[in-house]
Each structure stands twice: as structure tokens, then as C-alpha cells.
Amino acid sequence: MSHPSVVAVVPAAGVGSRMQADRPKQYLRIGEKTILEHTLSALHAHPKISHIVVAVSAGDPFFPELPVASAPWLTVVDGGAERADSVFAALSQLNNNDWALVHDAARPCVSLTDIDTLLQVRERDDVAGGILATPVKDTMKREMVSKNNIISHTECREQLWHALTPQLFRAGELRQALIQAQEKNIPVTDEASAMEAAGHKVALIDSNPANIKITRPADMPLAAFYLQQTQTL
């Protein structure tokens, strides 16, 4: 029995203010391609991903200039002010039974092997989906309330994970979870948080640590190094 389609959803309407650049971070270049192009290429290279929907800001002047903008395997929609708004807009292009593989525009180093492992979640009946994640290895400190960078206490790192992407869920269930979170004013920092709030169980899939998110200028050379290792630069 064949699976429903796996469609990648890429929210790319953010401004990336921490990069201190003249354009959103997804349009900064690593080698010959923008970060967003590297990310889209990595997703398109996976044989089980049938299509990609990318959500960009309305009137975005940068995306139409990219060679990938007219690719037949890509659909472009207008994103929103928040990540959840962009994901919700992209989900309008999917059937309820499709699997939405939501991935950050600024994670260009995701590996095909990790996507393979995440897609195995579709075979499980104990969870509604799963996310790539890495166990917390560093000592975690909680800052004092109303104090400037002063430690309140050390948090136990046992059973703590860093949530990464892609995150994989049925499109219909994710859409409904996002609607419920908005109605209840529940903060949605990633898709899993909406699914958890709706009562769904979500699997943690150990990810390659190279799957970094570019958020600051210092992340650029590291991402370039990882991309060089996969010869996609």
C-alpha cells in the first residue's frame, strides 16, 4: 500500500534581524547559492519528497530573482508575520492526509539520512509524527528573573532535547492543531508545540548535529564547512 504524499513546507518569511544584514538571512549567500537555495536543494534531492511549498513575505523582492523560483517542483505562497502563520498558509496547498515535512529555511545542512530516519515515523501507530532533535549535552543555566545575565540556578539536563527540523505530521492534524493553538492563545514556537498542545504524542528522532540553524553571522562559516563536506557548495 503506497503512502500519501510527503510535501516539504518551508516557512521563509522571516527577516533574520540578528544577522545584521541588508536582506533576510535566507537570501545571504554561501558559495554560489543563497541559504534558501541550499535548503530547497537538499529537500528536493530526497526521493520521497514529492513537492515543496515555500512561504515568503508578500511582495518579497528577493525570491523571484532566484533561479529556483520557477521550478516545477515548487509552489510559492504568501507567508505571515509569525512562523505559524506561514506554515498554516503553506498547508493550504496540501491534502489533509499528506505528510507535511516542515523545515526551517535557515537549516541548509540537513542530511538525506536524517530525513529517511524521520520518515520512518509514518510506520508507527504510537505517535502522530516526529521531529529531528539532539539531546542537550551542555550544562543548562536558568537566568534570574529581572536580573541581567545572572544565574538563578542550574537546570537538570536529563531528558532535555534541542528541537530541530524537519518536523513531520499529517497536514490535516497539524492544520487543526495550529487553529486550536491560536484560539487558545497558546504560543507556537514550532509545529510540535502545537501538536503537543492538541494532545498528540510526538517522537524525538536523534539528528546529526551538523543540522544547524543559521541565526548569527558566526554560523555562516560553519554552515559553509558542513556544506563543503557534502559537496553541495
Side-chain angles (χ1 to χ4, degrees):
M1 183 175 175
S2 61
H3 286 291
S5 296
V6 176
V7 180
V9 168
V10 181
V15 296
S17 57
R18 283 178 288 182
M19 290 299 291
Q20 302 165 1
D22 65 346
R23 62 194 59 204
K25 64 186 176 186
Q26 59 268 29
Y27 298 117
L28 298 177
R29 289 188 175 272
I30 298 177
E32 297 299 315
K33 295 191 290 189
T34 61
I35 293 170
L36 180 55
E37 286 175 291
H38 283 293
T39 299
L40 295 176
S41 294
L43 295 171
H44 178 57
H46 197 284
K48 292 182 181 175
I49 294 176
S50 63
H51 199 73
I52 300 175
V53 182
V54 60
V56 302
S57 297
D60 182 322
F62 302 106
F63 188 81
E65 300 300 318
L66 301 181
V68 75
S70 58
W73 43 265
L74 188 69
T75 297
V76 184
V77 299
D78 287 342
E82 303 294 335
R83 174 198 176 89
D85 300 324
S86 293
V87 171
F88 190 80
L91 289 173
S92 68
Q93 303 296 310
L94 280 68
N95 295 321
N96 282 344
N97 211 34
D98 286 341
W99 288 95
L101 185 96
V102 186
H103 188 55
D104 295 327
R107 288 191 193 272
C109 306
V110 63
S111 74
L112 298 183
T113 302
D114 275 357
I115 295 175
D116 274 337
T117 307
L118 178 59
L119 289 177
Q120 292 174 14
V121 164
R122 295 176 298 166
E123 308 293 341
R124 295 174 56 174
D125 56 12
D126 60 327
V127 292
I131 70 171
L132 292 187
T134 56
V136 170
K137 297 181 176 67
D138 300 311
T139 298
M140 303 296 291
K141 302 294 185 182
R142 174 76 64 181
E143 183 184 7
M144 292 182 70
V145 177
S146 303
K147 298 292 183 180
N148 188 23
N149 297 344
I150 296 175
I151 294 171
S152 166
H153 61 274
T154 300
E155 294 279 2
C156 176
R157 67 187 176 200
E158 292 298 315
Q159 299 176 308
L160 283 183
W161 292 64
H162 296 284
L164 313 180
T165 69
Q167 303 196 355
L168 180 72
F169 304 103
R170 295 274 191 187
E173 290 183 345
L174 177 55
R175 187 184 293 113
Q176 191 59 37
L178 290 170
I179 291 172
Q180 291 177 6
Q182 183 179 44
E183 289 173 346
K184 297 177 181 178
N185 292 317
I186 296 171
V188 175
T189 54
D190 67 351
E191 292 65 53
S193 60
M195 293 293 284
E196 295 157 31
H200 296 290
K201 288 185 169 60
V202 180
L204 292 162
I205 307 300
D206 204 347
S207 171
N208 186 326
N211 185 18
I212 64 168
K213 186 176 184 180
I214 298 173
T215 57
R216 293 179 172 83
D219 298 326
M220 293 286 280
L222 183 57
F225 171 78
Y226 287 138
L227 287 169
Q228 281 178 331
Q229 306 310 300
T230 55
Q231 300 180 335
T232 60
L233 199 58

